[in-house]
Amino acid sequence: MLVGYRQHILSKQIGHAFLGSISLAVVLTVLIYALGGISGANFNPAVTTALYVSKKLGGPGLDIQTAGVYMAVQFLAGICCGLCFVNMFMDSFNVGPGAGFSWADACFCEFLYSTLLCFVVLNTTASKKHSTNGNQFFGLAIGGMVLAGAIAAKPVSGGLLNPAVTIGADMAGAGLGWGNSLIYALFQLLGGVVAALLFQHVRPGDFSSQPTPSTGLVSEAIGTFGLVVTVGLAVMAETPMAVPAIAACLMSLVYSLGDVSGAHFNPAVTTAVLVSGFDKEMVPKRAGHYVITQIVSGIVAGWTYCLVHQGYSFPLGPGGSFSVLAAVTAEMLFTTILAFVVLATAVSERTLVNQLFGLAIGLCIVAAGVAISKISGACLNPAVSIGIFASYGGLNALKMAMRYCSFQLCGGAVAGGIVRLTHATAGHEKMVDEGESTPLIFGKA
């Protein structure tokens, strides 16, 4: 928590709030790995609330007695930490919206990323599959979402995402006014409740219900919305950490929903899976449902980050003196790489990476962001391209989005064809001929 408080002081003193965001995510990740097997490493009343609501709904989670004790300890620790902080650094800050933003904007961002954070925790640690079989990526996934939220929401709300941190910070800055933390905390706790409800929808089997045909589509909608809104908020934050924030968000959501829907969140990836032929259930009709869901979620996400930023957005198109041809070529090349890595690390039985597939996919975003962000913006995803158009508007923006989407989808198709040639096995060819699906780390999409 001290690291979380310190990032705000760094922001005021040297303008390097992203250093605090990195430190916060790293500290949380290592502590989760260190203490997860002891207490569950909640460290956050919103997370504890999500686990309690999940239990009340008939799924995995915490009973009322355990949840109550955990939350009392968390709030007490937050207050003590706030008092230590103000005495150590002789400085403090107010809890509230950033300059130019309203309370509605700030509370929404705290609610949104508290929901996504709790959702990641539930899916990677509490779901029956992961709690039974275990995994080694849960801490990485949770830390990744904290990094994404802390960076994307920082200019709007501060990106606290934790009622204990919020109330502790408010206590530390009591001399500047107290009470705003209660508003933040309410929306953060509400995020935990909504996360539990979403968890129930994407994993009905954990709640003694049967999955429906819409389960995978709900998963794709949640993941695509979370990714695209993070793209918009991180870019609008004008921070050098925008690319890592987007990559961390994608990694976290892939780890959370990979075994539910395949965690495509990208029409180009869905195209790649369809062309590869590794999943017999990904027929053209189902792929179409996925793509429509992803595009609609991207549009809603684009409207969302535009509203948060008072109607302002950014255009889609080549940067600087680069041509449209250069931009769409770069998009096609790196979309091919992204889709290829998805298929190679999470689909092909020859090169499955059981624990690090999400990290590999997220690192593709980092590579693309560094290499071509100044050329094309490094979207690599038709849902992102359409989302940016939806937030910006205009006929020219629509034409540019269509150009981007066309080349991104081509990149997905090329990746599917390459993997079909390079990763096919005798067993795979036999299963394709007989109409059976190959084993997927992501499960059946």
Side-chain angles (χ1 to χ4, degrees):
M1 289 185 185
L2 277 173
V3 174
Y5 300 147
R6 185 57 178 161
Q7 71 167 307
H8 293 269
I9 301 304
L10 281 169
S11 176
K12 292 196 301 180
Q13 292 177 345
I14 61 175
H16 290 168
F18 67 87
L19 296 176
S21 300
I22 295 172
S23 299
L24 177 61
V26 170
V27 168
L28 179 61
T29 299
V30 298
L31 288 177
I32 285 172
Y33 280 125
L35 297 171
I38 305 298
S39 66
N42 295 4
F43 308 146
N44 185 334
V47 170
T48 301
T49 298
L51 288 165
Y52 167 68
V53 174
S54 174
K55 185 75 170 180
K56 287 291 290 183
L57 293 172
L62 298 174
D63 58 58
I64 182 64
Q65 291 85 3
T66 304
V69 172
Y70 274 28
M71 291 178 70
V73 171
Q74 290 158 357
F75 279 119
L76 179 61
I79 293 171
C80 291
C81 192
L83 296 176
C84 289
F85 168 81
V86 74
N87 282 284
M88 288 172 61
F89 299 107
M90 301 305 293
D91 203 349
S92 61
F93 57 91
N94 277 124
V95 173
F101 295 98
S102 67
W103 273 98
D105 299 328
C107 290
F108 173 77
C109 282
E110 290 296 318
F111 164 76
L112 171 64
Y113 282 103
S114 293
T115 300
L116 290 174
L117 173 59
C118 294
F119 184 72
V120 170
V121 173
L122 290 170
N123 278 281
T124 58
T125 65
S127 65
K128 289 183 179 178
K129 176 176 181 179
H130 292 308
S131 62
T132 301
N133 300 330
N135 67 69
Q136 299 300 314
F137 53 69
F138 61 95
L140 199 60
I142 297 167
M145 186 53 71
V146 168
L147 178 64
I151 291 172
K154 169 63 181 172
V156 183
S157 67
L160 300 178
L161 318 184
N162 186 330
V165 171
T166 301
I167 290 178
D170 211 15
M171 291 291 291
L176 303 174
W178 189 86
N180 292 341
S181 61
L182 300 180
I183 303 174
Y184 264 31
L186 176 63
F187 281 88
Q188 291 161 345
L189 292 171
L190 181 61
V193 174
V194 173
L197 295 174
L198 295 176
F199 178 59
Q200 182 186 32
H201 279 287
V202 299
R203 295 186 185 271
D206 287 14
F207 295 82
S208 302
S209 300
Q210 293 299 316
T212 67
S214 66
T215 300
L217 299 182
V218 172
S219 169
E220 288 296 307
I222 295 169
T224 306
F225 176 84
L227 173 62
V228 178
V229 80
T230 298
V231 170
L233 290 174
V235 171
M236 292 297 290
E238 299 181 345
T239 168
M241 287 296 293
V243 170
I246 296 164
C249 179
L250 177 60
M251 175 191 70
S252 299
L253 291 170
V254 165
Y255 278 136
S256 299
L257 296 170
D259 62 319
V260 177
S261 67
H264 298 182
F265 313 146
N266 184 337
V269 170
T270 299
T271 300
V273 174
L274 176 65
V275 172
S276 73
F278 278 82
D279 180 13
K280 74 160 189 178
E281 293 191 2
M282 188 49 66
V283 295
K285 180 179 179 180
R286 187 163 181 79
H289 291 162
Y290 266 47
V291 169
I292 291 171
T293 300
Q294 293 155 355
I295 294 297
V296 171
S297 294
I299 292 172
V300 175
W303 290 339
T304 299
Y305 71 72
C306 182
L307 287 173
V308 169
H309 280 269
Q310 318 301 316
Y312 291 98
S313 185
F314 53 92
L316 178 70
S321 60
F322 292 98
S323 67
V324 173
L325 179 60
V328 294
T329 301
E331 286 292 316
M332 180 175 174
L333 173 61
F334 278 89
T335 302
T336 301
I337 294 171
L338 171 63
F340 178 83
V341 170
V342 171
L343 292 171
T345 62
V347 178
S348 171
E349 61 181 356
R350 295 182 65 180
T351 52
L352 288 177
V353 182
N354 289 306
Q355 301 296 329
L356 297 179
F357 60 96
L359 178 61
I361 294 167
L363 288 176
C364 286
I365 302 300
V366 175
V370 172
I372 65 168
S373 62
K374 294 186 180 299
I375 301 174
S376 67
C379 296
L380 317 186
N381 185 336
V384 172
S385 300
I386 294 294
I388 295 173
F389 152 71
S391 70
Y392 198 76
L395 181 59
N396 290 334
L398 176 60
K399 291 179 180 178
M400 186 63 69
M402 291 301 99
R403 294 188 187 105
Y404 269 55
C405 290
S406 298
F407 279 81
Q408 290 160 349
L409 290 172
C410 285
V414 170
I418 293 174
V419 169
R420 187 163 188 158
L421 291 173
T422 59
H423 287 66
T425 63
H428 169 250
E429 294 296 336
K430 180 180 178 181
M431 281 187 273
V432 170
D433 291 340
E434 295 177 355
E436 298 178 8
S437 59
T438 56
L440 303 182
I441 196 172
F442 279 170
K444 292 186 177 180

